[in-house]
Amino acid sequence: MKRLAGVAAVLALAAGIFTAWSLAASSGGKSVAKVDRAAKLPPLPAAVKSRKRWVIGVKCDFPPFGFIDVRGNNDGYDVAVARRFAQLAFGKANRVNLVCVTTPSRIPALTSNRVDIIISTLTWTASRAEQIDFSIPYYSATGRLLVPNNSSVSSTRDLGGKTIVTTRGALYATWVRNCFKSSNLLEVDGTAAAVLAVKDGRADTFMFDDAFVLGVATQDRDLKLTNDKFLNVPWGIGIRKGDTVTKTWVDAALRRMKKRDEFVKILRNNVPKKYVGSFLDNVPRPKNNFAYPVGKDPTSECPS
């Protein structure tokens, strides 16, 4: 019964987070740009052009980047980028089918042709770059630790002998295996399951992207973030290996959006006002540049 109550509590928490993010986003203003003619960009992929719409994989459980809002609609930063792609390609933001993907299912969804591209909080890693191609970066995230308020964990230096939970397939799982050999790794399918593991005591901390765990800590008074930031690696849009036509179009669209500072507008429309300032350095802007750590493997670089 206690376990069922815990599950219900976390589901309620997840619903609360989604509601809070979607209400904040809905009050943030109108879409980044009004409907306009298709932009002058490189040729679209033949399949996209013939069907007159994109099919894009997005997260549906990861506010404020990809989630289902209180009205039952896809919403979030990644979703706004996907709709902007539709607008740039066809002049209408609704010319896109959004397919829900999870961390473990997103690359298979791409490689099996279920979707054209994935805009799904996809952190660049060397191993992933062997399976798929990446666009230029469209966001740069850092990792954080989510812990109970009474936790003795205040930084990654305190993780010896502790159980660390993260989602299956996330780069944090690889980092823990490489760098925290005296810790126990618990991998679960989905962020709600990871939060539950911390709340019911099966894990000491949830290691994950700052963008998500911040939302959890905001909604749950029993949980907090430590001050540590780590694994600052950009996110990219996933593209099938060797699909140069799609990559050329996607990169050109992202450069256009960066030049016009559109990502800040998307951020403001999808993140509560009080958090915008702390995320301004995370999005592409005309005068900043993000780069993937090509030739390096951040998951093998262990803290001293």
Side-chain angles (χ1 to χ4, degrees):
M1 290 300 291
K2 289 183 178 179
R3 181 65 183 274
L4 291 174
V7 172
V10 170
L11 291 175
L13 167 65
I17 294 169
F18 288 11
T19 300
W21 284 121
S22 60
L23 289 176
S26 65
S27 64
K30 298 180 179 179
S31 61
V32 67
K34 61 184 179 181
V35 174
D36 55 9
R37 295 182 179 180
K40 292 183 179 180
L41 291 169
L44 282 164
V48 176
K49 183 178 180 180
S50 65
R51 82 166 80 92
K52 297 182 180 180
R53 66 176 52 243
W54 284 98
V55 178
I56 299 178
V58 296
K59 291 284 188 72
C60 292
D61 64 347
F62 198 110
F65 287 87
F67 63 101
I68 304 300
D69 69 12
V70 292
R71 301 172 185 83
N73 300 317
N74 291 91
D75 206 349
Y77 180 97
D78 286 359
V79 172
V81 173
R83 289 182 174 137
R84 184 61 174 144
F85 277 14
Q87 194 174 51
L88 290 172
F90 303 109
K92 295 182 180 180
N94 63 358
R95 290 291 179 89
V96 58
N97 291 345
L98 300 170
V99 178
C100 291
V101 295
T102 63
T103 295
S105 75
R106 58 192 170 183
I107 289 179
L110 176 66
T111 56
S112 65
N113 295 310
R114 285 187 58 216
V115 297
D116 299 315
I117 56 177
I118 47 176
I119 310 179
S120 57
T121 71
L122 184 68
T123 306
W124 184 95
T125 67
S127 60
R128 287 174 180 166
E130 293 177 356
Q131 302 176 64
I132 63 172
D133 287 334
F134 280 77
S135 70
I136 60 173
Y138 76 101
Y139 186 81
S140 186
T142 64
R144 297 284 290 269
L145 298 176
L146 181 75
V147 299
N149 287 338
N150 61 357
S151 174
S152 61
V153 174
S154 61
S155 75
T156 55
R157 293 186 297 272
D158 302 322
L159 294 178
K162 304 295 186 183
T163 297
I164 304 165
V165 65
T166 193
T167 58
R168 201 178 312 279
L171 85 162
Y172 303 105
T174 304
W175 195 49
V176 170
R177 290 192 190 96
N178 289 340
C179 299
F180 301 91
K181 298 186 183 299
S182 65
S183 301
N184 303 307
L185 174 64
L186 173 62
E187 292 183 88
V188 296
D189 293 321
T191 51
V195 175
L196 176 60
V198 175
K199 291 182 69 68
D200 69 13
R202 287 179 293 127
D204 297 289
T205 181
F206 177 19
M207 181 184 288
F208 209 62
D209 296 329
D210 57 356
F212 181 80
V213 292
L214 175 61
V216 177
T218 300
Q219 294 297 312
D220 193 321
R221 295 180 180 180
D222 295 327
L223 301 174
K224 65 179 181 180
L225 298 182
T226 67
N227 292 324
D228 261 7
K229 292 185 178 182
F230 42 82
L231 289 181
N232 188 345
V233 183
W235 293 350
I237 293 170
I239 300 165
R240 275 184 287 277
K241 199 72 175 174
D243 186 352
T244 56
V245 174
T246 299
K247 178 169 170 54
T248 299
W249 190 96
V250 168
D251 285 350
L254 292 175
R255 289 190 182 99
R256 185 183 194 275
M257 294 169 68
K258 175 184 174 181
K259 182 178 180 180
R260 290 162 174 77
D261 212 13
E262 292 186 23
F263 291 102
V264 166
K265 299 172 186 175
I266 293 174
L267 182 76
R268 293 186 188 279
N269 286 345
N270 287 280
V271 172
K273 185 177 180 180
K274 63 181 179 178
Y275 299 129
V276 168
S278 63
F279 282 88
L280 287 176
D281 291 338
N282 294 54
V283 299
R285 307 199 67 180
K287 294 184 179 181
N288 72 11
N289 291 290
F290 300 142
Y292 299 127
V294 178
K296 302 178 181 179
D297 182 3
T299 62
S300 66
E301 296 180 1
C302 304
S304 55

